[in-house]
Amino acid sequence: AAIALVFLFNYFHRPHPIKAREYYEEGVAKSHNKDAAGAVQAFNSSIQLDPHNPETFYQRGNANYDLKKYQEAIADYSQAIALNPKYFEAYFNRGLARHDFNDKRGAIEDYTQVVNLQPNDVDTYYERGVAYLELQDYKNAIQYFDEVVRLQPTLPKAYHSRGLARAGGGDLPGAIGDYTEAIRLDSQNVDAFYSRGRSRFHLGDYKGALADYSQVIAIDPKSADAYANRCSTQLNLGAHQAAIDDCTQAISLSNEDAVPYNNRCIAYLNLKNYPKAIEDCTQAVTLNPNDDHAFSNRGLARNEAGDAQGAIADFTSAIGLNPNDAEAYANRAKIYQQLNNYNSAIADYVQAIRLNPNYAAAYYGRGIVRRSLGDKAGALSDFEKAGKIFLDQGLTGGYKDAQFEIEKLK
C-alpha cells in the first residue's frame, strides 16, 4: 500500500505538458482578446502543471504588464530569463516594465542586455534613449537616438526624441533641425510641430512658433496645450485680443489648467481691462496656489484698478512663493513709493538690486525715493548707475530719463 501511495503522489505531481499547453494556448487567446485577467488565470494553471516553460512566464508577464501590475510582470520576466538566459524579448519587456515602474536605471540595464544579444535592435536603442532622456542624461540619450537614426533613418519618432534631448541640453537650433526632419518624414506629426513651436518660442521666433502651434491645432483641434501656447505666443507678438481668443479656447477644452487663465489675465491687463484681469488671475491662483506669476500679475492689475493694499498683498504672496523674484520686490516698492512709505520702498529696491545687480529700473526707482527723502548724493549715484545699465542694455529711453534726473540734481 505504501508503494502505491508513492506512485500516486508522483503521478499527480509530474509535469503534464499536454494539459499545460492547453492552458497556455487559452491564455494566449485571452490576451489577444484583451482579457488580461483571464489570461493570467490560464497561465497560472499552465505554470502549476509545467513550471519550467519560460514562454509561459513571459506571456504571463505580458498579461500582468497590460494590467499595470509591474512588479508581478517584472517577477515573471525574471523567471523567464532564469529559465532561458538568452531570452532577449524577456529582457526587453522587463525593461519596459521597470521603466513604467519608475526604475529607469534598471530598464537601461535590461536594454543593455538586449543589445548584447541583438546588437541591431532598433526598438531597444530607442527605449534606452528614452530612459536616458527622462533621466535628463541628454548626452547619452542623443548617443542612442543617433544609433536609431543610423539603423532606421526614416523613423520620425527617432528624430523627434533626439530633438527633445538636444533641446534639454540647450541646443535649440539642433532640436529644431531634428523636429523639421521628423515633419518631413511625417507631415502630420503633431508632436514634432508642437515641440518645434516650443523651441522657436524660446529662441524668440514668435512668428515661427505661431505657425507651428497653428499647424498642431489644424491637425488636432482639441489640443488645449497648443491653444495655450499659441496664446503665449500671441502675447509676445502684442496680439492681445488674439491671445484672449486662444486662451479662452484652451480653457474651454481644459478648465483645470492655471496657465491659460494667467496668460489671459496678462492680455486683459495689457488691454487695460483690469476687472477681467483680476478675475482671471484669481482663477489662476485658485487652481494653482503656488503660481507666483499669477499673484504678481494680479498685483499689477489691482494696483492699476486703485487697490494698492490688495496689490501689496499679492506681491507679498508672490515673494513668499519665490523669494528670488527681483521684479516682485521692485513692483511692491513702486506701490510703497506711491503711498509715500519711503523706507519700505527703499528696502524693497535694495532687495531687487541684491537679486539682480543689473536691474536699471530698480536703481532708477530707488533714486526717485532717495531724492524725495533729500538724499541728493544717494539719488545721484542711483541715477548714474541706472543710466549706465540702461545704455549698456540699449534702452535709450531709460538712459535719457536717468540723465534728465541727473541734470535736475546738479
Side-chain angles (χ1 to χ4, degrees), residues 95-360:
L96 294 177
R98 283 177 162 174
H99 173 273
D100 289 354
F101 195 59
N102 204 31
D103 178 13
K104 306 295 191 301
R105 294 290 179 190
I108 289 169
E109 290 175 6
D110 278 338
Y111 299 142
T112 301
Q113 288 295 331
V114 179
V115 170
N116 290 338
L117 294 166
Q118 296 284 316
N120 293 319
D121 189 85
V122 172
D123 290 337
T124 304
Y125 279 111
Y126 180 78
E127 293 298 337
R128 188 158 61 168
V130 169
Y132 276 120
L133 175 62
E134 292 177 358
L135 288 169
Q136 298 183 3
D137 184 346
Y138 302 120
K139 182 178 179 181
N140 273 316
I142 291 169
Q143 176 185 339
Y144 292 112
F145 292 134
D146 282 345
E147 282 299 305
V148 179
V149 169
R150 180 183 67 81
L151 293 166
Q152 193 170 338
T154 59
L155 187 63
K157 70 177 183 179
Y159 292 98
H160 177 247
S161 295
R162 189 172 67 179
L164 293 175
R166 283 178 164 163
D171 180 12
L172 293 178
I176 289 171
D178 273 340
Y179 301 142
T180 301
E181 182 62 16
I183 292 165
R184 186 188 71 79
L185 292 167
D186 175 11
S187 63
Q188 300 298 298
N189 194 322
V190 67
D191 292 332
F193 276 113
Y194 182 83
S195 297
R196 189 172 69 177
R198 285 175 57 86
S199 289
R200 283 175 162 173
F201 180 91
H202 289 301
L203 284 174
D205 177 10
Y206 302 124
K207 289 184 179 179
L210 183 69
D212 280 337
Y213 291 135
S214 296
Q215 191 62 36
V216 174
I217 291 165
I219 298 168
D220 179 12
K222 300 293 186 182
S223 176
D225 287 340
Y227 277 108
N229 283 10
R230 193 170 71 172
C231 171
S232 299
T233 306
Q234 302 277 24
L235 283 176
N236 281 276
L237 288 169
H240 303 305
Q241 186 57 54
I244 288 169
D245 294 341
D246 276 341
C247 277
T248 300
Q249 188 64 26
I251 290 165
S252 72
L253 292 167
S254 177
N255 64 0
E256 297 300 315
D257 185 1
V259 173
Y261 283 104
N262 181 49
N263 285 341
R264 194 169 66 176
C265 166
I266 296 170
Y268 280 128
L269 182 60
N270 281 297
L271 292 175
K272 303 186 188 307
N273 189 337
Y274 305 124
K276 283 285 190 181
I278 292 168
E279 179 183 332
D280 273 347
C281 275
T282 297
Q283 185 61 24
V285 299
T286 300
L287 291 169
N288 181 7
N290 295 317
D291 189 346
D292 59 295
H293 297 296
F295 277 109
S296 281
N297 290 329
R298 190 173 68 176
L300 292 171
R302 280 179 162 170
N303 185 49
E304 292 294 341
D307 180 9
Q309 294 302 326
I312 288 172
D314 276 339
F315 289 126
T316 300
S317 294
I319 290 165
L321 291 167
N322 181 9
N324 295 318
D325 186 352
E327 193 169 352
Y329 279 108
N331 284 329
R332 191 172 67 175
K334 290 177 187 176
I335 301 173
Y336 282 135
Q337 181 180 338
Q338 293 166 10
L339 296 174
N340 297 326
N341 186 344
Y342 297 134
N343 289 334
S344 294
I346 286 180
D348 274 352
Y349 280 130
V350 167
Q351 286 293 334
I353 291 166
R354 180 184 65 82
L355 292 166
N356 180 5
N358 291 315
Y359 199 165

Side-chain angles (χ1 to χ4, degrees), residues 353-373:
I353 291 166
R354 180 184 65 82
L355 292 166
N356 180 5
N358 291 315
Y359 199 165
Y363 283 106
Y364 183 87
R366 190 174 66 177
I368 296 291
V369 177
R370 283 178 162 172
R371 187 187 63 194
S372 298
L373 289 171

